Amino acid sequence: EAQVTQNPRYLITVTGKKLTVTCSQNMNHEYMSWYRQDPGLGLRQIYYSMNVEVTDKGDVPEGYKVSRKEKRNFPLILESPSPNQTSLYFCASSIGGLGNEQFFGPGTRLTVL
Amino acid sequence: GQQVMQIPQYQHVQEGEDFTTYCNSSTTLSNIQWYKQRPGGHPVFLIQLVKSGEVKKQKRLTFQFGEAKKNSSLHITATQTTDVGTYFCDSNTGKLIFGQGTTLQVKP
């Protein structure tokens, strides 16, 4: 089944404790992206990747890191999480990036205390 | 930077009434995508519009792209409770930019 998976689905952590949210897709998509979703603000792009070893900042990259060492995986790293990073996070992939249908993962709800 | 604004932010309708959400951009869009997110779910692709003035239909849903390619609309005829959710437009001229979404509530 074609899908985007994220782990964990739920996470409660404390300020400053490094964490990684994994994202994996099995559709051989070049393009992958991370979004955060907050009430009233819609979906805001954090980082995106056009292909392996190619990443770029989205609209709200501060406090986040990503890597794209292989095509299927695109982990989101929070080196020192803060409470303002409490949010719902979605990973998405598409076959060619701009102008193509994006497939979203189920989401990761992160709470930073 | 480029902004895509969606209106209204929230809409409550009685089942059977029509519903429309609008997506407006300050700049010309190359194309636009619409997504639906059910409560507790993730966004799911509905459709893509590319051509100026394009109109596409999916059963009770009608999607339209403006002649100037700066705005788009999604119209639902005779809403049902299954239409509940948040509808997003997504423009990707240079960077993927989602509108804030319109949350639709349908009263049975």
Side-chain angles (χ1 to χ4, degrees):
Chain A
E1 180 191 353
Q3 60 182 347
V4 178
T5 57
Q6 293 179 229
N7 282 292
R9 295 289 314 279
Y10 303 91
L11 179 61
I12 301 175
T13 189
V14 295
T15 298
K17 186 176 181 182
K18 180 179 178 180
L19 66 93
T20 299
V21 184
T22 64
C23 173
S24 183
Q25 50 93 6
N26 63 359
M27 295 168 280
N28 202 36
H29 285 169
E30 289 90 7
Y31 185 95
M32 297 185 75
S33 181
W34 276 102
Y35 296 91
R36 61 178 289 173
Q37 185 174 35
D38 303 288
L41 297 176
L43 286 155
R44 294 180 293 167
Q45 193 177 45
I46 303 171
Y47 268 95
Y48 64 97
S49 169
M50 298 293 282
N51 214 324
V52 175
E53 301 293 1
V54 180
T55 63
D56 209 346
K57 296 177 180 179
D59 292 317
V60 287
E62 294 77 22
Y64 304 95
K65 287 173 61 175
V66 293
S67 69
R68 188 88 183 274
K69 293 184 169 56
E70 44 188 348
K71 203 172 195 178
R72 63 184 295 125
N73 296 323
F74 190 44
L76 179 69
I77 302 155
L78 284 72
E79 294 271 3
S80 183
S82 62
N84 64 12
Q85 293 178 297
T86 293
S87 187
L88 177 59
Y89 292 87
F90 287 103
C91 179
S93 72
S94 67
I95 195 164
L98 303 182
N100 290 286
E101 173 185 355
Q102 292 189 81
F103 294 81
F104 283 81
T108 295
R109 187 164 291 281
L110 172 66
T111 301
V112 183
L113 302 175
Chain B
Q2 180 188 2
Q3 280 199 331
V4 173
M5 305 298 292
Q6 261 187 275
I7 54 171
Q9 191 171 359
Y10 299 98
Q11 183 87 57
H12 291 74
V13 300
Q14 195 73 41
E15 189 173 22
E17 291 180 340
D18 292 357
F19 159 78
T20 304
T21 174
Y22 300 90
C23 192
N24 300 311
S25 171
S26 56
T27 58
T28 302
L29 306 171
S30 57
N31 56 52
I32 197 158
Q33 284 74 237
W34 284 93
Y35 291 78
K36 177 183 178 181
Q37 184 178 18
R38 293 181 187 275
H42 59 273
V44 174
F45 176 81
L46 293 175
I47 209 158
Q48 182 186 65
L49 303 172
V50 179
K51 300 175 186 174
S52 168
E54 189 170 16
V55 178
K56 288 188 177 180
K57 293 191 176 185
Q58 289 179 350
K59 297 182 182 178
R60 295 177 294 103
L61 276 61
T62 302
F63 303 84
Q64 190 162 0
F65 205 6
E67 293 288 343
K69 299 182 76 173
K70 287 187 175 182
N71 52 66
S72 180
S73 65
L74 158 58
H75 179 83
I76 302 178
T77 303
T79 54
Q80 300 175 359
T81 55
T82 53
D83 296 323
V84 164
T86 301
Y87 294 85
F88 292 98
C89 60
D90 171 28
S91 144
N92 43 33
T93 301
K95 209 183 262 191
L96 288 163
I97 306 223
F98 275 87
Q100 303 94 322
T102 297
T103 298
L104 172 65
Q105 302 269 22
V106 179
K107 289 176 282 189

